[in-house]
Amino acid sequence: MNIIETENITKQFRTTKALDAISIKVQEGEIYGFIGLNGAGKTTLIRILLGMIAQTNGAVKIFGDTLNKKFNHWNNIGYLVETPYGYPNLSVLENIKVYYLLRQLKNKSLIDEVIEKLNLTNYAHIKAKYLSLGNQQRLGLAKALLHKPKLLILDEPINGLDPEGIVEVRELLKELCAAGSTVFLSSHILGEISKLAGRIAIIHKGKLLKELTVDELDGKLIKRIVADTTNNQQAVSHLLASQYQAVLNTNNLIEITGDEAIKKPERISTLLVEKGVPVKQLYLITEDLEMYFLRTIEDKSNE
């Protein structure tokens, strides 16, 4: 089942087209990563999904129902968009109680449960205005998770968190998905997206450039072997003569690409030893999501 489905969503702000015919499908139980540069349109789409602003054209369905004035699934949705707003003069506990009342919830144990889950117990009676940025983010996440939503829409949820907090949130989101929740996740920390998301979409200047699974992504990442020998210039000559794709990079190291080399790097070492230029170092470098993202938007810009 598709929990989120958009069809040709376009958003026009006067002369600026913030979104241009965006069509995506987010499946039940998955973590869907939505990435792009600042100003690419990520937050605009999230605000449309949450009914905060209306699209200029196109349609949105959430839980199979069209998003309009009659949409009544808001208590199944939790969200954190950009800044984790709170009541600055109320404590963490009081903030969560306010949200509990606004959500018209009936199980008070949810309050203690979410405070413990987000490691806010020691800050329960601290006013929100005195919290660090990381703990403000935890409070925002606590409010988003309080009612155990089936769909969680998060914009930069790990902003301001320390490494321990990032790991905690990562494991929490995995736990939620394992229990059946769906997460739509936007973040500029691409290393975390790559560790969490099952599918990833790249948006650039309002247009959807790519939508792919992590397995598809792995097949598109550039892989190369980097080697250092006793005579790199001579080694390159031997490799080229043996039909390998080899060049010297700016650091005077050998870079070798091609499926055969990647799959069987030991043959390279054997060949060079036989040719009298033994290998001192040989290792595989694989492009990460950040490098792939930058290459993708650069290729688009050069079209």
Side-chain angles (χ1 to χ4, degrees):
M1 175 183 176
N2 292 323
I3 299 299
I4 296 175
E5 188 171 346
T6 75
E7 183 179 350
N8 294 322
I9 289 295
T10 299
K11 180 61 180 178
Q12 189 91 21
F13 292 104
R14 295 186 179 179
T15 59
T16 301
K17 187 175 281 188
L19 295 174
D20 187 359
I22 300 294
S23 296
I24 61 171
K25 294 179 180 179
V26 180
Q27 298 166 4
E28 185 175 15
E30 76 170 337
I31 298 178
Y32 186 95
F34 195 58
I35 64 176
L37 299 174
N38 289 338
K42 304 188 302 298
T43 301
T44 299
L45 180 62
I46 285 174
R47 290 181 178 278
I48 289 172
L49 295 178
L50 292 171
M52 295 177 175
I53 58 175
Q55 65 271 25
T56 305
N57 289 300
V60 178
K61 286 186 177 181
I62 300 180
F63 300 117
D65 288 344
T66 300
L67 186 60
N68 54 29
K69 292 181 180 179
K70 296 181 180 180
F71 185 80
N72 64 353
H73 293 287
W74 295 117
N75 260 355
N76 288 324
I77 301 173
Y79 63 91
L80 176 61
V81 181
E82 293 185 310
T83 304
Y85 294 105
Y87 297 97
N89 289 313
L90 297 184
S91 69
V92 166
L93 178 59
E94 289 167 336
N95 264 279
I96 294 175
K97 283 182 176 179
V98 167
Y99 209 68
Y100 176 89
L101 294 173
L102 289 173
R103 283 283 184 182
Q104 299 181 340
L105 302 175
K106 305 297 181 184
N107 181 2
K108 290 187 176 180
S109 67
L110 292 172
I111 296 172
D112 291 334
E113 183 180 330
V114 80
I115 286 175
E116 182 178 352
K117 184 167 293 212
L118 271 298
N119 284 328
L120 287 168
T121 304
N122 293 335
Y123 305 94
H125 300 289
I126 303 295
K127 288 184 178 181
K129 65 182 179 182
Y130 297 128
L131 295 175
S132 66
L133 178 59
N135 281 325
Q136 288 178 21
Q137 200 75 3
R138 290 175 192 268
L139 175 56
L141 283 167
K143 291 189 289 185
L145 295 170
L146 176 63
H147 56 300
K148 297 186 176 181
K150 294 179 181 178
L151 170 63
L152 199 55
I153 297 177
L154 302 175
D155 191 12
E156 304 293 354
I158 55 178
N159 185 40
L161 294 178
D162 58 23
E164 183 180 13
I166 290 173
V167 172
E168 289 171 1
V169 171
R170 184 197 308 157
E171 294 307 311
L172 177 59
L173 295 180
K174 287 180 178 179
E175 179 186 319
L176 289 169
C177 282
S181 294
T182 302
V183 177
F184 183 94
L185 173 62
S186 173
S187 176
H188 70 280
I189 304 177
L190 302 191
E192 282 306 305
I193 292 282
S194 64
K195 292 173 184 174
L196 280 166
R199 285 194 302 140
I200 296 168
I202 297 175
I203 186 174
H204 184 56
K205 295 182 179 178
K207 293 186 177 183
L208 188 67
L209 299 188
K210 299 280 185 180
E211 186 183 42
L212 65 174
T213 67
V214 289
D215 288 338
E216 290 170 335
L217 172 65
D218 184 65
K220 292 180 180 296
L221 297 179
I222 293 175
K223 301 177 178 68
R224 66 188 188 278
I225 289 172
V226 176
D228 188 20
T229 70
T230 54
N231 188 327
N232 288 347
Q233 187 68 59
Q234 191 177 29
V236 166
S237 297
H238 291 308
L239 289 167
L240 291 172
S242 298
Q243 306 304 310
Y244 283 104
Q245 301 168 39
V247 296
L248 283 180
N249 66 20
T250 55
N251 295 317
N252 202 41
L253 296 175
I254 304 167
E255 289 194 8
I256 310 160
T257 55
D259 290 343
E260 186 64 24
I262 301 301
K263 290 176 183 177
K264 298 177 180 178
E266 70 279 1
R267 290 188 177 180
I268 294 170
S269 182
T270 300
L271 169 67
L272 294 178
V273 168
E274 290 174 350
K275 297 296 184 181
V277 280
V279 172
K280 295 190 290 184
Q281 285 186 324
L282 187 146
Y283 49 93
L284 176 67
I285 295 179
T286 302
E287 194 177 39
D288 59 14
L289 175 58
E290 182 175 302
M291 295 168 68
Y292 174 76
F293 167 74
L294 292 173
R295 177 164 59 87
T296 299
I297 63 173
E298 183 180 351
D299 289 346
K300 183 63 178 178
S301 298
N302 291 333
E303 288 182 359

